[in-house]
Amino acid sequence: MLRFSKLITSVFLIGLLLSSCSAPALDDYSDVQFELINQNGETVIFPDDFAGSPLVMGFIYTHCPDICSFITANVGKVYEEISGGENVQFALVTFDPERDTPEVLKTYAQAFDMDREPFQFLTASPEVIDAFMSRVSVRTQESYSRDLEDGERMYFISHSDKILLIDKNSRLIFDYGGSMTPVNIIIEDLEKL
Amino acid sequence: MNASFIKVLFLAFAIPFFFSCTSEEEIQSGAQLELPEDGIEIVDAWARPGRDGGVSAIYMHVLNGSAETDTLVAFSSPVAGLVELHETFDRGDGMMGMRESEEPYFPARSIVSMRPGGLHVMLMQLNRALREGDEVELSLTFSQAGEFTITAPVRSPE
């Protein structure tokens, strides 16, 4: 009986150890469908078009001078630094669809030398983006605006600082602070998938 | 079940858990900077990439070696229609925000570091794309120290 109880305890503790180090899904996006457009004007369906391999996804707007550039760069660095990452997909989705058209996203991607495979910069209609951001728990709020001399309205957006790691089955596995998360952490997590 | 067996199991459980499931916080150490004997020096300026018509940010260290607080009163750059001093801030509700800095002050005998995620000179209405390897000129006018023109290399955020 003593030996049996040791066995049970061992199994329990090992199971606890494994479960604490592996990553249970935080969410499952396989039941939704969003029609997005990439920087080349091509339609991309989330999550269907990404199913089959892991996806690193960040959230930005191109008029963001500080945080979003680091989210963008972090997504780029994960690709540059991961070994054997040819099956990993990378996407950055804007939450400012009014200004971030596919053409604007393309020039933004070019500035970061990311207008190339495997990077996709995605936008959609404001209604679709609102629903999409709500589904992936990215919060936004216009925070600062004023009218410029040329009549243009300048505004900035407070927003969640996020990069998501989604597995090949469209399940959310990790939710990182986007701009400040060390890239090696994301790579380690990707390698566990 | 004897006590030593439980201890071994506990250690076998706790040690890997602690080391494999906690992430080590990165500590960013700043460069060793020395205040000038007097006046203002600006060092390590760099700009992040930006698209034509878009925005960029310039980061730097401002070293005020004088005995008086100085104030930044004007900026300009040939690549931007509008230049302002902004700061990114954590709203405390899981969101990051940005606002124009209302305190462009540089205290006496102090270093003010403009870093990603904090204070930065914001370039708006860029009249050309800024790509890695480019250089950006920026003029800053202080109330005491006068005008400085610096050149910031464009590079991707590290």
Side-chain angles (χ1 to χ4, degrees), chain A residues 2 6 9 20-21 64-67 69-70 77 107 110-111 139 141 144 146 148 150 154 156 158-159, chain B residues 1 17 20-21 48-49 51 57 59 84 88 91 93 95-96 98 100 116-117 122 124-125 131 157-158:
Chain A
L2 186 60
K6 284 181 180 177
T9 305
S20 63
C21 287
C64 175
D66 191 37
I67 290 292
S69 65
F70 295 92
K77 277 190 279 186
T107 55
Q110 286 167 346
R139 294 187 297 143
Q141 183 180 43
Y144 174 90
R146 72 168 190 266
L148 301 177
D150 62 5
M154 180 182 70
F156 299 110
S158 293
H159 56 90
Chain B
M1 198 180 310
F17 172 80
S20 63
C21 296
R48 64 110 163 147
R51 52 174 286 274
Y59 307 97
E84 293 178 350
T88 298
R91 296 190 356 163
D93 59 357
M95 293 168 77
M96 301 298 288
M98 193 191 63
E100 188 171 1
M122 182 159 164
M124 292 168 276
Q125 299 176 325
R131 304 192 66 164
E158 292 178 351

